[in-house]
Amino acid sequence: MRALPRSLDPLPDEALTGYILRLAHRLGVSPGAVAIRTGLTGGRKENVLFRIPMRLLHDLEPEQVRLFSRATRLSPDEIVRLVTSSLASRYGPVNRRFTPRSSAARMVNDNAWLLTRTPRYCPQCLAGDESEIQQRHGGSWRLSWRLPPVFACPRHRRLLRADCPACRQPVHAVEMNSIIARPWDEDLHPTQCRTTIAPRTAGRLQPACGAQLAEPAGAGPEIAPDPQTLEHLLGLQRRLMRLLDLAGPAVTPSVGWLIPAADYFADLRALLGLVFLSWPTARSFAATPALAEALDREAEERLARAAALRDRPGKKHSSRPFTDPPLDPLLMGAVLGIAERLLDAPDEEQARELLLPLVHQASRVDQALSIYLRREAWVSFPLRIVSMNRSKSVMAMGDIIARGPIPKGGGSGPRSEGYRRREPR
């Protein structure tokens, strides 16, 4: 594997997909050609014409890192930071403690808490800064935009976009399970929409949308929430981004305890499902009327989708309407804001009082799913104990933590490391 004639330094928080797009544009070749020439596809030229494997979004094999490093002159550490496995210590849904997925391919396959098929984006971030390199090739397609809990851009004070303003389709919508849509197309700028706007006909592929997704500094969103709602969502996003930052706080409060950041994102994932399954029980926790009303409509639609799935033959997947995170940024912020308020209870007794109405209602709707959302492999140990105990006569949380994990049948190994009681406010 020879070094490429020219390379690029990765931008802050850049994803492998964005790096390939910018490097391909600088070299004047297709993203697929870059994937071949950097060793990502193992030299299988016939396959790269159709797909660059989706698993590469999450992790690379050691040999792929070595070849990519030689071709691009990047260090192994720089390369590792381009994929989502670098976030596993912070983000529970890609941490193997909270998922049975043992390989990169399994981690990305059908993992709703990793946006594999289309990212969200900030149009002003894509426009880049004043540097010549970003003026030519665009700003960063951020790795964090692949995480559902990242729904806003505090820097530009706006919600992220989930679709293209021209074709109204999800941007970069992929075909054939590829991390980059249309990897053979070398005519598109890194900041143009790569979604194919019409179905293939008679063996011919239709053109890409090609709309420019970047917006100049000062451009505002087409539709913005009311000021109170926007301020709430931006504040929530700043707090979540601090937890995702590798240099951020190691622990954060949850149900009266301090837990690792990865555990906290696992708790948010579980509570999202619990909130939708029990809606409107948690409606009073919505930060603004606009967010409550948006969740009213979303919960009604999700309930209808779940009912339709239960009525169809075969494998039903009827839990997905309750557990999948919304792609719409406002809805995602709305439900995560409720989850944050529930987890912010100062001690486990108050947390139990807040959560048990949701648990009871969720159990009436779907008891099996309610229990599933609170299982050991899905949530932090403190949240599991709080949400599973139905009476104040149960053993105190501190005694449970001191004794170790709950016995077999509800746990398979110690999970109490890194937990300590939150100091009283």
Side-chain angles (χ1 to χ4, degrees):
M1 184 67 61
R2 294 183 298 174
L4 296 170
R6 285 170 290 177
S7 188
L8 285 172
D9 291 328
L11 299 176
D13 190 29
E14 186 164 32
L16 179 64
T17 49
Y19 182 80
I20 292 174
L21 288 173
R22 289 196 310 119
L23 183 55
H25 189 257
R26 187 178 194 198
L27 296 172
V29 299
S30 70
V34 169
I36 294 172
R37 294 168 64 179
T38 57
L40 292 180
T41 62
R44 291 173 291 187
K45 298 183 180 180
E46 70 281 3
N47 290 341
V48 80
L49 291 175
F50 301 99
R51 60 190 294 268
I52 303 173
M54 192 74 76
R55 66 179 181 275
L56 302 183
L57 177 69
H58 179 66
D59 207 3
L60 304 179
E61 298 291 338
E63 179 65 5
Q64 289 174 317
V65 172
R66 186 184 70 82
L67 294 174
F68 198 81
S69 176
R70 179 183 296 179
T72 61
R73 306 179 188 87
L74 301 186
S75 71
D77 286 344
E78 288 177 309
I79 296 169
V80 168
R81 287 196 293 269
L82 296 171
V83 294
T84 57
S85 60
S86 65
L87 303 174
S89 64
R90 292 277 172 171
Y91 185 59
V94 297
N95 187 310
R96 291 183 182 179
R97 290 176 55 216
F98 295 103
T99 177
R101 303 165 187 265
S102 58
S103 66
R106 293 192 63 195
M107 187 65 75
V108 301
N109 182 42
D110 208 27
N111 185 352
W113 283 79
L114 188 59
L115 300 178
T116 54
R117 295 189 176 277
T118 179
R120 300 188 184 113
Y121 68 100
C122 170
Q124 288 167 265
C125 287
L126 286 184
D129 57 22
E130 299 301 320
S131 66
E132 181 182 355
I133 200 74
Q134 292 194 42
Q135 289 296 309
R136 288 184 179 180
H137 310 299
S140 174
W141 280 96
R142 295 181 179 273
L143 186 64
S144 57
W145 293 343
R146 292 285 183 168
L147 308 182
V150 178
F151 55 84
C153 177
R155 178 186 175 191
H156 294 113
R157 297 185 54 78
R158 63 184 295 166
L159 299 181
L160 301 183
R161 291 205 62 146
D163 59 6
C164 168
C167 70
R168 302 295 177 181
Q169 300 297 314
V171 299
H172 291 197
V174 299
E175 300 175 345
M176 303 295 292
N177 291 326
S178 173
I179 63 171
I180 292 178
R182 306 173 66 93
W184 58 88
D185 198 328
E186 62 186 43
D187 297 326
L188 293 169
H189 189 273
T191 59
Q192 285 182 276
C193 177
R194 304 183 72 89
T195 298
T196 302
I197 56 177
R200 187 191 299 267
T201 58
R204 297 184 60 186
L205 186 66
Q206 299 299 316
C209 168
Q212 180 55 247
L213 302 174
E215 292 179 0
E222 292 179 345
I223 301 176
D226 65 85
Q228 182 186 4
T229 295
L230 181 62
E231 288 303 324
H232 164 73
L233 294 175
L234 293 177
L236 171 62
Q237 187 66 90
R238 290 187 190 98
R239 293 189 292 275
L240 295 179
M241 291 298 290
R242 282 197 292 271
L243 291 180
L244 288 170
D245 189 338
L246 295 178
V251 295
T252 193
S254 181
V255 296
W257 288 75
L258 294 177
I259 66 173
D263 297 56
Y264 186 77
F265 281 102
D267 286 355
L268 289 178
R269 175 183 62 178
L271 282 189
L272 178 142
L274 197 62
V275 166
F276 280 127
L277 188 59
S278 65
W279 194 262
T281 306
R283 192 181 192 278
S284 62
F285 293 102
T288 69
L291 294 177
E293 292 168 8
L295 288 174
D296 284 338
R297 295 188 293 270
E298 178 71 5
E300 183 179 358
E301 292 174 3
R302 286 174 177 248
L303 188 64
R305 291 204 304 271
L309 288 172
R310 282 193 292 269
D311 291 339
R312 76 178 188 180
K315 199 167 186 179
K316 305 185 183 302
H317 298 288
S318 59
S319 65
R320 296 294 297 267
F322 299 113
T323 60
D324 283 1
L327 186 59
D328 182 278
L330 185 137
L331 290 171
M332 190 64 193
V335 69
L336 288 185
I338 291 177
E340 181 190 54
R341 292 186 68 180
L342 293 169
L343 294 177
D344 198 40
D347 59 59
E348 57 263 25
E349 288 303 326
Q350 292 188 50
R352 184 177 292 114
E353 290 179 7
L354 295 176
L355 287 170
L356 283 188
L358 276 71
V359 170
H360 291 157
Q361 176 59 23
S363 296
R364 284 192 284 269
V365 176
D366 190 328
Q367 185 176 32
L369 178 56
S370 172
I371 294 173
Y372 182 88
L373 290 172
R374 294 171 284 140
R375 73 194 191 280
E376 184 192 14
W378 200 251
V379 297
S380 71
F381 190 70
L383 179 58
R384 175 167 167 77
I385 297 302
V386 164
S387 62
M388 285 303 226
N389 289 336
R390 294 175 176 266
S391 167
K392 291 185 179 180
S393 64
V394 298
M395 186 186 302
M397 172 78 84
D399 295 335
I400 295 174
I401 293 286
R403 287 191 178 195
I406 53 181
K408 189 168 176 125
S412 58
R415 287 283 303 279
S416 58
E417 295 86 349
Y419 301 145
R420 67 178 187 272
R421 190 181 293 276
R422 184 181 185 180
E423 294 295 327
R425 296 189 222 186

